């Protein structure tokens, strides 16, 4: 019987220092795994020599395939390209910086082979080495998104996952343009085992995230997987209208029964500015959803491939 195959998808953006270390460590781990492994390296428009590193790895090891984008399309697009082109019976996604330790793979594979689970996800149980403000926002984000959406996202969840073929096919079938993988993984369901591990620092190179890009990512997650902000906006509008109506009745009654002159320019201005602000805020929320509908409706490709050492890779996907 043929050996089963395993594809490792590795999104890389400016990882010239980390990639060789990653490759070495992965080869060490793969030696003990009874699968025919394939590395699928996705170069997400790196501006350093990442592509050269990939080419040299592919030259010395036929298990290495690479896909190189025409520009930087983001990690989500890189992962999607990986899923679309992964051929393995089992497929894993992991970062090139070894923050997703390849050494966990044997354990993940044995969990799937036991048959009880269709995918193994990982979460880091510590946030050592991370600024406290970021950890605080991250924890709040996970609590919020779990409350208001169908996407079941565990605190500290990483994109590092191992899954069966069927799960990969389901992910590929979700072809939306605005992708938030952590949400998609949860949304498709299946039996998922959560494997905890201690946070590992990046082995080389720089992280591509700062506080604001993470904040935008969190907003993306909420808007892609929940309509709660829209509902809040309309509830807020209704409550305000009701309050205004009651206040109007109160003022009319007071004028008719007691003949009070209406005073208070300052308080009126406050109310007007407050309501104006709330209106702009709610219109802004709607704008966020409309903007996403707009990008979806253009149905542009998720990524464009400039080159690859595999002829079967579609140039546009
Ligand atoms: N990455 C990517 N495209 C991007 C940004 C990042 O493919 O636009 C890759 C990056 O090379 C790495 C992974 O995504 O393999 C995670 O990135 P990073 O380590 O910067 O994120 P962090 O671990 O700090 O969350
Ligand atoms: Mg990292």
């Amino acid at each position: 019987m043929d050996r089963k195959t395993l594809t490792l998808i590795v999104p890389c953006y400016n990882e010239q220092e980390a990639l060789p270390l990653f490759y070495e460590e992965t080869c060490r781990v793969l030696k003990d795994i009874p699968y025919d492994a394939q590395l699928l390296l996705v170069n997400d428009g790196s501006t350093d020599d990442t592509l050269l590193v990939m080419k040299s790895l592919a030259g010395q090891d036929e298990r290495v395939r690479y896909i190189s984008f025409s520009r930087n399309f983001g990690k989500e697009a890189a992962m999607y390209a990986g899923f679309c082109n992964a051929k393995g019976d089992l497929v894993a996604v992991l970062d090139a910086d070894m923050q997703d330790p390849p050494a966990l793979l044997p354990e993940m594979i044995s969990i799937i082979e036991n048959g009880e689970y269709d995918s193994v996800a990982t979460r880091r149980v510590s946030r050592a080495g991370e600024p406290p403000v970021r950890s605080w926002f991250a924890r709040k984000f996970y609590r919020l998104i779990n409350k208001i959406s169908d996407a079941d996202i565990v605190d500290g969840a990483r994109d590092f996952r191992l899954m069966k073929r069927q799960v990969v096919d389901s992910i590929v079938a979700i072809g939306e343009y605005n992708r938030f993988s952590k949400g998609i993984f949860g949304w498709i369901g299946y039996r998922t085992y959560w494997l905890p591990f201690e946070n590992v620092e990046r082995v080389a190179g720089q992280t591509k995230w700062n506080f604001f890009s993470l904040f935008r990512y969190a907003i993306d997650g909420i808007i892609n997987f929940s309509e709660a902000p829209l509902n809040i906006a309309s509830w807020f509008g209704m409550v305000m209208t009701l309050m205004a109506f009651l206040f109007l009745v109160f003022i009319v009654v007071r004028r008719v029964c007691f003949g009070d002159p209406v005073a208070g320019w300052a308080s009126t201005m406050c109310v007007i500015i407050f309501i104006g602000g709330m209106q702009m805020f709610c219109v802004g929320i709607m704008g966020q959803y409309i903007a996403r509908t707009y990008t979806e409706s253009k149905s542009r490709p998720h990524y464009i491939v400039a080159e690859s050492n595999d002829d079967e890779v579609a140039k546009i996907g």
Side-chain angles (χ1 to χ4, degrees):
M1 203 177 85
D2 278 350
R3 290 228 297 184
K4 285 198 187 160
T5 52
L6 164 73
T7 306
L8 303 182
I9 300 171
V10 191
C12 302
Y13 177 51
N14 294 349
E15 301 285 8
Q16 61 178 15
E17 289 102 14
L19 197 53
L21 301 170
F22 171 85
Y23 174 75
E24 218 172 279
E25 166 73 1
T26 309
C27 286
R28 194 183 63 74
V29 172
L30 288 177
K31 273 211 288 287
D32 304 327
I33 296 179
Y35 276 75
D36 281 332
Q38 204 163 51
L39 258 76
L40 182 52
L41 309 175
V42 184
N43 173 29
D44 184 13
S46 303
T47 50
D48 65 358
D49 287 335
T50 302
L51 180 58
L52 288 180
V53 175
M54 286 183 182
K55 283 182 174 167
S56 95
L57 292 177
Q60 72 190 55
D61 184 344
E62 58 177 20
R63 296 173 302 175
V64 176
R65 285 195 297 153
Y66 65 83
I67 298 175
S68 183
F69 286 176
S70 60
R71 65 168 170 88
N72 178 246
F73 281 88
K75 185 184 176 188
E76 290 291 342
M79 288 197 292
Y80 186 62
F83 286 128
C84 292
N85 293 290
K87 298 171 184 160
D89 300 309
L90 290 183
V91 175
V93 199
L94 60 177
D95 288 0
D97 59 5
M98 299 221 292
Q99 285 193 296
D100 298 335
L104 290 179
L105 284 169
E107 188 182 351
M108 293 164 82
I109 290 175
S110 67
I111 292 170
I112 288 208
E113 283 189 336
N114 281 344
E116 234 178 284
Y117 295 97
D118 304 307
S119 81
V120 181
T122 58
R123 55 184 280 257
R124 34 180 199 166
V125 283
S126 70
R127 289 179 168 272
E130 193 183 61
V133 189
R134 186 180 294 187
S135 304
W136 188 84
F137 270 99
R139 271 198 299 274
K140 291 284 170 243
F141 164 72
Y142 286 113
R143 280 195 40 192
L144 180 69
I145 194 154
N146 275 314
K147 257 197 201 127
I148 64 176
S149 80
D150 293 339
D152 149 46
I153 306 178
V154 176
D155 184 5
R158 293 195 55 92
D159 291 331
F160 181 21
R161 281 185 179 241
L162 177 74
M163 52 214 123
K164 289 186 181 166
R165 180 79 250 158
Q166 192 188 352
V167 180
V168 177
D169 292 341
S170 309
I171 293 170
V172 172
I174 299 184
E176 59 193 36
Y177 186 81
N178 297 292
R179 299 183 76 77
F180 180 71
S181 285
K182 287 190 171 105
I184 293 175
F185 294 146
W187 190 90
I188 56 173
Y190 292 109
R191 298 164 302 174
T192 302
Y193 182 86
W194 283 95
L195 185 70
F197 72 98
E198 289 287 327
N199 192 31
V200 189
E201 302 253 347
R202 178 177 252 288
V203 58
Q206 293 279 314
T207 176
K208 280 87 200 174
W209 297 89
N210 58 35
F211 183 79
F212 287 102
S213 58
L214 280 174
F215 193 77
R216 269 207 306 275
Y217 182 62
I219 300 280
D220 261 352
I222 291 172
I223 291 187
N224 281 334
F225 278 92
S226 168
E227 280 153 26
L230 282 176
N231 297 337
I232 292 170
S234 47
W235 275 109
F236 196 83
M238 270 195 267
V239 171
M240 284 292 243
T241 314
L242 187 69
M243 270 166 44
F245 179 73
L246 293 177
F247 198 56
L248 190 80
V249 171
F250 169 73
I251 288 178
V252 168
V253 169
R254 199 171 66 163
R255 176 78 184 85
V256 170
C257 301
F258 306 103
D260 266 3
V262 179
W265 181 83
S267 55
T268 314
M269 283 315 282
C270 287
V271 172
I272 289 176
I273 293 172
F274 176 72
I275 295 180
M278 284 318 294
Q279 275 170 342
M280 293 302 278
F281 179 64
C282 294
V283 170
I285 292 179
M286 263 192 281
Q288 292 287 328
Y289 284 86
I290 292 171
R292 279 167 179 75
T293 316
Y294 178 60
T295 51
E296 289 298 341
S297 68
K298 282 195 283 194
S299 34
R300 291 205 173 146
H302 299 79
Y303 57 86
I304 295 171
V305 176
E307 55 178 301
S308 169
N309 63 344
D310 179 352
D311 295 337
E312 285 175 28
V313 169
K315 288 288 178 246
I316 285 182

